Amino acid sequence: MTVHTPSLDFILSNKSLDSRLIQIAEKVRQQQRLTDEEGVLLFEKGELSFVGALAADVASRLHGKKVYFNRNFHIEPTNVCVFTCNFCSYSRKYKHRDEGWELTQNEMLDLVKKYDGQAVTEVHIVGGVHPKMNLEFFCEVIAKIRAHRPDLHIKGFTAVELDYMFRKAKLSVEDGLKALQAAGLQSLPGGGAEIFAPEVRAEICPDKVDAAGWLEIHETAHRLGMHTNATMLYGHIENYAQRIDHMSRLRSSQDKTEGYNCFIPLKFRNGNNDMSQVPESTVVEDMRLYAIARLFLDNFRNLKAYWPMLGRNSAQLSLAFGVNDLDGTIDDTTKIYSMAGSEEQSPSLSTEQICELITAVGKVPVERDTLYNELNVFA
Ligand code: V47
Ligand code: SF4
């Protein structure tokens, strides 16, 4: 079954459509960049059928029917964290570390060894910011993983973890990244970005690296030849202008470096955290956001729906609204979202299952590596 959004021509033939939306549709068709004001207008006035049809058009121009995934697993070294993000359901303070976990280097290496002989291509390492797990500790872990499994792409550490590690080691961002890169780190995940606007950060994550610091770490990584991802935590207290401001800063950053692999909107989940009173966004809002991200971020080729957070059904639906990547098989190795109340309590998909999600909506599954080189087309 193919999921069809109404055709763009059909939608544009609606005589009562706001003329500003028609202008935006023309610009998108001519591959012209949208302004911030147009982005906000899409959030305010763009119905799902309108933004969805436009976004599906753009995704099809860029990728045809292809939808990417990879075979990956995560290592979460610890959930002990010095920071106090109010949306986080996962972290534990150092003084309560007996309630959390702190993996040793050997325990992390054992997690990698579990995949000996298996066709995984990426390990994703991300966790809390532990006051005692420092740069030297992580350089050693990375070097051990690299030595054991040289073919595995090592993607690790959010800008939040890196900022803390480098400051503690009294190193510049460049020198800190060079040390990790020399140990074998190859790219950075996109976490920690949340919403860049300082007034939102002050409410939801007051004490961690700010927008300028996040962007500096990513742009420095790009200059050193590493690729990175970018995220946005949405659906809490932010408004439409702040979403667009976030994406606009990322778009400008991508113009400078071209180092971002993909954009990953992360839906706020409200289970077991200090923002549980904030309702979660609806599926329609989720799909509208994916579609608008696809239209606004004209220099990000890849838009990822991270299914452990969104749930596999919504992730599948998002493939009709501009998304072209479903992340990976995961193998039940992350707790961040299950602890925040996601419907995916033990996130794991076999290659067959992820392919089935994709083919069921008339798309073609393509296994990729971290850098979006195509490994297998499941025609
Ligand atoms: O920065 C934490 C988010 C991020 C909640 O680069 C929450 O491929 C929703 O960045 N509700 C870390 N989100 C995870 C991350 C990531 C995940 C998957 C793929 C990639 C990639 C990166 O998780 C944090 C924060 O934005 N997060 N708590 C919550 N309650
Ligand atoms: Fe720590 Fe990350 Fe949770 Fe913030 S989101 S408290 S930095 S683990």
Side-chain angles (χ1 to χ4, degrees):
M1 174 218 22
T2 309
V3 175
H4 285 295
T5 47
S7 86
L8 196 50
D9 289 327
F10 176 73
I11 286 166
L12 293 177
S13 68
N14 174 358
K15 296 277 178 285
S16 60
L17 193 63
D18 187 320
S19 61
R20 293 168 302 172
L21 291 180
I22 295 177
Q23 263 175 19
I24 290 178
E26 282 310 320
K27 280 181 84 172
V28 171
R29 280 181 148 178
Q30 289 166 25
Q31 298 182 38
Q32 291 171 12
R33 177 159 283 192
L34 301 184
T35 63
D36 287 8
E37 292 69 31
E38 288 167 334
V40 174
L41 188 81
L42 285 175
F43 274 119
E44 286 171 351
K45 304 272 182 208
E47 286 185 10
L48 179 60
S49 54
F50 174 78
V51 294
L54 269 180
D57 232 38
V58 175
S60 147
R61 168 167 57 76
L62 291 170
H63 300 289
K65 287 184 179 296
K66 287 180 178 173
V67 172
Y68 295 104
F69 71 95
N70 72 352
R71 296 194 218 199
N72 63 351
F73 65 98
H74 289 220
I75 296 177
E76 296 179 345
T78 183
N79 65 340
V80 173
C81 190
V82 298
F83 295 118
T84 55
C85 305
N86 292 326
F87 55 80
C88 183
S89 319
Y90 156 93
S91 63
R92 295 293 177 267
K93 296 212 165 25
Y94 186 67
K95 62 179 181 220
H96 300 305
R97 62 189 181 283
D98 52 326
E99 295 168 13
W101 66 88
E102 299 163 296
L103 300 185
T104 63
Q105 292 188 351
N106 283 340
E107 284 169 332
M108 289 187 238
L109 197 59
D110 285 344
L111 293 177
V112 175
K113 288 180 178 165
K114 264 180 58 189
Y115 295 91
D116 284 359
Q118 292 189 37
V120 290
T121 60
E122 176 190 281
V123 56
H124 175 140
I125 306 174
V126 72
V129 180
H130 192 293
K132 302 235 155 67
M133 291 181 176
N134 59 18
L135 180 63
E136 195 187 349
F137 174 86
F138 280 119
C139 281
E140 285 170 11
V141 177
I142 299 287
K144 285 181 182 175
I145 297 174
R146 166 68 51 248
H148 180 74
R149 188 84 196 250
D151 59 319
L152 201 60
H153 185 109
I154 305 178
K155 177 177 87 176
F157 311 117
T158 63
V160 177
E161 295 165 272
L162 296 173
D163 170 67
Y164 185 85
M165 251 186 250
F166 299 162
R167 282 192 288 116
K168 264 213 136 163
K170 298 195 167 40
L171 282 182
S172 66
V173 169
E174 177 167 337
D175 288 344
L177 281 171
K178 278 183 174 164
L180 284 163
Q181 198 177 21
L185 185 73
Q186 288 158 291
S187 54
L188 309 185
E194 322 313 357
I195 287 279
F196 286 145
E199 62 279 17
V200 177
R201 285 189 107 69
E203 294 293 322
I204 67 168
C205 54
D207 49 2
K208 69 186 188 186
V209 68
D210 64 7
W214 190 97
L215 289 164
E216 185 199 348
I217 288 174
H218 282 256
E219 289 176 10
T220 307
H222 300 163
R223 277 198 299 279
L224 295 175
M226 299 165 99
H227 281 80
T228 77
N229 294 338
T231 58
M232 175 170 79
L233 179 72
Y234 73 91
H236 42 89
I237 59 164
E238 86 289 0
N239 61 32
Y240 292 153
Q242 288 156 344
R243 289 180 183 177
I244 289 294
D245 168 69
H246 187 94
M247 290 195 264
S248 189
R249 294 191 209 207
L250 288 175
R251 197 170 67 174
S252 303
S253 181
Q254 179 76 314
D255 279 343
K256 270 198 248 171
T257 64
E258 296 182 354
Y260 296 98
N261 272 333
C262 72
F263 179 60
I264 315 162
L266 294 171
K267 174 190 174 109
F268 165 66
R269 307 303 310 239
N270 68 5
N272 311 311
N273 58 44
D274 290 342
M275 289 170 60
S276 291
Q277 77 290 356
V278 177
E280 292 182 355
S281 57
T282 62
V283 177
V284 170
E285 262 307 293
D286 296 334
M287 298 305 129
R288 265 173 23 94
L289 183 124
Y290 280 104
I292 294 169
R294 171 56 86 196
L295 301 177
F296 190 79
L297 286 174
D298 55 6
N299 54 2
F300 279 69
R301 270 187 72 76
N302 300 301
L303 178 62
K304 184 195 279 190
Y306 184 58
W307 66 267
M309 169 273 292
L310 198 57
R312 66 189 69 184
N313 294 335
S314 292
Q316 186 183 41
L317 187 62
S318 74
L319 301 179
F321 296 96
V323 166
N324 71 299
D325 184 23
L326 285 186
D327 196 82
T329 45
I330 310 282
D331 199 24
D332 196 11
T333 49
T334 176
K335 295 199 170 57
I336 301 180
Y337 297 101
S338 51
M339 288 172 83
S342 165
E343 46 280 75
E344 300 291 349
Q345 283 297 299
S346 306
S348 186
L349 286 174
S350 64
T351 303
E352 292 69 31
Q353 286 172 316
I354 210 163
C355 286
E356 171 59 22
L357 280 181
I358 298 168
T359 50
V361 292
K363 305 271 181 176
V364 176
V366 179
E367 183 189 352
R368 61 162 174 86
D369 65 12
T370 309
L371 304 178
Y372 288 82
N373 296 303
E374 294 187 3
L375 304 180
N376 275 308
V377 179
F378 295 82

